[in-house]
Amino acid sequence: MKFYDDSDLPIYIQVAEWLENEILRGQFKPDDKMYSQYQLADLFTINPATAGKGLSILLDNDILYKKRGLGMFVTSIARSTILFRRKSEKLSILVKGIVDEAERLEVPLEELIDMLKREKLKTEGGKV
């Protein structure tokens, strides 16, 4: 993955989100060893301190835990923690923005729901 300098998000947050996405995709399971800050720095050509800040976010949010001298590992609740936080924070903000815009454009609720359903079918590879 390439990190974007033009993103509003600092690189260390992009690192944390990328790692969360890897956990959600099943690339890391509970108790799997996570990349070290130096591995992440090499992987993405970033400063190890920046990678370390990304890992610290996950550590602070109970997504990772440390084993002294061995590294960081994925917690048993990592996936559910990520899902809960993203649904309650990120997704609700996005939905509010969509609803607000639909109201400004006078899009009826039924039409908005149909639009969401069509988009969902597209992402699942279904026909519209």
Side-chain angles (χ1 to χ4, degrees), residues 13-125:
I13 292 178
Q14 292 179 55
V15 168
E17 286 188 354
W18 181 80
L19 291 170
E20 285 182 351
N21 290 339
E22 292 297 291
I23 292 168
L24 291 176
R25 287 186 0 190
Q27 297 301 316
F28 291 97
K29 305 223 182 307
D31 298 315
D32 280 356
K33 186 173 170 64
M34 182 50 70
Y35 296 117
S36 73
Q37 70 184 56
Y38 300 104
Q39 289 171 318
L40 288 169
D42 286 343
L43 187 62
F44 298 120
T45 318
I46 59 174
N47 187 302
T50 301
K53 281 179 79 172
L55 289 167
S56 291
I57 289 171
L58 301 183
L59 192 63
D60 293 343
N61 289 319
D62 296 324
I63 293 166
L64 299 179
Y65 66 93
K66 277 185 182 179
K67 282 188 182 178
R68 189 175 177 108
L70 296 176
M72 292 192 198
F73 297 81
V74 179
T75 65
S76 61
I77 61 167
R79 192 173 198 295
S80 59
T81 300
I82 295 165
L83 289 172
F84 177 79
R85 184 180 43 74
R86 287 194 179 183
K87 283 179 189 175
S88 62
E89 292 174 10
K90 235 179 187 178
L91 196 55
S92 62
I93 290 168
L94 291 171
V95 168
K96 182 177 180 349
I98 290 169
V99 169
D100 289 348
E101 185 66 12
E103 285 178 0
R104 282 190 289 275
L105 299 174
E106 300 175 3
V107 175
L109 179 60
E110 298 77 24
E111 186 179 342
L112 181 59
I113 291 169
D114 287 342
M115 291 170 75
L116 288 168
K117 286 179 181 177
R118 280 194 306 273
E119 192 58 37
K120 179 70 172 164
L121 281 173
K122 277 194 241 176
T123 61
E124 293 173 349

